[in-house]
Amino acid sequence: MTNESRQDVIRKGSSIISATPNDSVMFEPIDNTLFNYLVLRTYSDISPEQQIYRVPVKEVMEYLRIDRIGKLQASLERLGKGFIEIDYVDAETGEPRSMYAHYLSSDVSSTGSGMLKFAFDPILVHFLSEPKVFGLISVSRVRDLKTVASQKLYEMMALQFRKKTPEWRCSVEELRAYFQAGDKNARFDNFRIHVIEKAISDVNAIAEFDIVVDYIRGGKGGGVTEIVFKALSKSHTRLIEASAIKSPSTRKKKPADSHTIDLLDGKTFEERGGPAELTMAAIESARDMIPDDADINHLITEWRDINRGRALTNPDQSFLSWLELKLSQENDPLLKDIDGDVFGLLVGGRD
């Protein structure tokens, strides 16, 4: 993925990505796009203290590619009335919890004045602000997906992709609820062909990963009891194909600046102190090296923090060498006391 495609990346908390929408309001593709766009516009300011945000209606409609304000108002109404169930772990007790939240509160009538005034659900803000576990979501990629199922599958698998085992397991009933499929395509074969397979095809066309699916059946001749989605790294050719797919109405983007958010660690060039690009081949090699419970996203962030301000002649080699030393350090008493910065210098950093 090029720097141009990273200008619209947000860290979206795993709890929000995994949340199941309630069927009291049926969301449409524009709703998820609008929510992600408003998160992007307020990304650096989201906090419990900041209550109300304002963005020009013209810019919102331009991004959504709509020409009637009624479409924006209808989307705002659905985001305000519909709610999602969020499962999370209590930070103090470690016990699993569930909560319900709306996406947005908004002054729909204010859209006629040219400014959209809105606020995120007060409880939802906790999961939007600096999430510990997150997916790196390209807002424009979500916009280019035309069904709720494909949008939600993209976000879920973007969350899984950086894990040691990049897969998502769910029952048929759970997937129907997650996709808000309702009673449409009631027979599983129809649901598989018209919803699941179509969503996979749509996501594979634009994402930085490819999705494959496996259907687990209950006993010989039994029905499908579990669906397993896996995210696989694209080849170089497939990455070029995916990054080249754009809507005909997409305008040429400006070159990335120091505030561009990087796809791998969610930091800007300015925050990171310099470019530290890693290829998919390096990430795959690292995934083979680390334990099952390790988080490759955090390891990449740690390595970049150590090398902030250094120009690396071969980032892939530097990262893999650092990772090998780090893993050895955890098992070798003689290496335990060596500082991380020393490792950074040992594996090819240049000031």
Side-chain angles (χ1 to χ4, degrees), residues 71-209:
K71 293 183 178 180
L72 172 60
Q73 292 173 335
S75 181
L76 290 169
E77 184 175 346
R78 286 189 295 270
L79 289 171
K81 291 182 176 180
F83 60 91
I84 51 176
E85 180 178 355
I86 297 177
D87 296 322
Y88 68 101
V89 177
D90 189 283
E92 295 182 359
T93 66
E95 296 180 355
R97 304 286 188 190
S98 295
M99 55 154 280
Y100 293 93
H102 296 273
Y103 280 104
L104 286 177
S105 297
S106 61
D107 184 352
V108 177
S109 61
S110 72
T111 55
S113 67
M115 293 297 291
L116 169 58
K117 294 194 296 184
F118 67 95
F120 298 108
D121 187 295
I123 297 179
L124 198 65
V125 168
H126 172 72
F127 297 93
L128 286 172
S129 179
E130 297 298 326
K132 293 182 179 180
V133 182
F134 53 85
L136 294 167
I137 305 301
S138 167
V139 177
S140 64
R141 292 305 189 195
V142 174
R143 177 188 59 184
D144 290 341
L145 294 167
K146 302 306 181 184
T147 68
V148 170
S150 58
Q151 288 180 337
K152 294 185 74 64
L153 183 61
Y154 164 73
E155 293 197 358
M156 176 61 79
M157 298 315 293
L159 172 65
Q160 308 302 326
F161 183 51
R162 299 300 174 197
K163 295 181 179 180
K164 169 71 174 180
T165 304
E167 68 177 33
W168 175 44
R169 294 174 173 267
C170 59
S171 68
V172 177
E173 292 73 21
E174 289 169 341
L175 188 62
R176 281 186 174 278
Y178 186 67
F179 283 171
Q180 275 200 319
D183 296 329
K184 294 181 180 179
N185 300 293
R187 288 185 55 192
F188 178 75
D189 283 347
N190 292 335
F191 181 57
R192 175 180 59 82
I193 295 171
H194 299 298
V195 181
I196 301 175
E197 303 289 351
K198 185 179 185 304
I200 292 174
S201 178
D202 290 345
V203 173
N204 285 351
I206 59 93
E208 67 274 20
F209 49 82

Side-chain angles (χ1 to χ4, degrees), residues 1-9 136-141 154 162 206-209 234-246 250-257 259-265 267 269 272 275-280 304:
M1 303 288 281
T2 64
N3 279 336
E4 288 184 350
S5 65
R6 295 172 184 168
Q7 297 182 70
D8 67 344
V9 173
L136 294 167
I137 305 301
S138 167
V139 177
S140 64
R141 292 305 189 195
Y154 164 73
R162 299 300 174 197
I206 59 93
E208 67 274 20
F209 49 82
K234 272 183 165 71
S235 65
H236 174 73
T237 301
R238 292 284 291 123
L239 279 172
I240 296 301
E241 290 173 354
S243 63
I245 293 177
K246 295 180 180 179
T250 301
R251 296 183 177 181
K252 185 176 180 180
K253 295 180 181 178
K254 297 179 180 179
D257 59 22
H259 299 290
T260 294
I261 298 172
D262 187 271
L263 185 61
L264 286 174
D265 64 4
K267 292 185 179 181
F269 179 97
R272 198 173 57 246
E277 303 295 339
L278 293 176
T279 66
M280 288 300 175
R304 282 182 163 164

Side-chain angles (χ1 to χ4, degrees), residues 26-36 74-76 78-79:
M26 300 301 288
F27 291 112
E28 298 183 10
I30 190 178
D31 305 333
N32 199 28
T33 300
L34 174 57
F35 177 78
N36 284 341
S75 181
L76 290 169
R78 286 189 295 270
L79 289 171

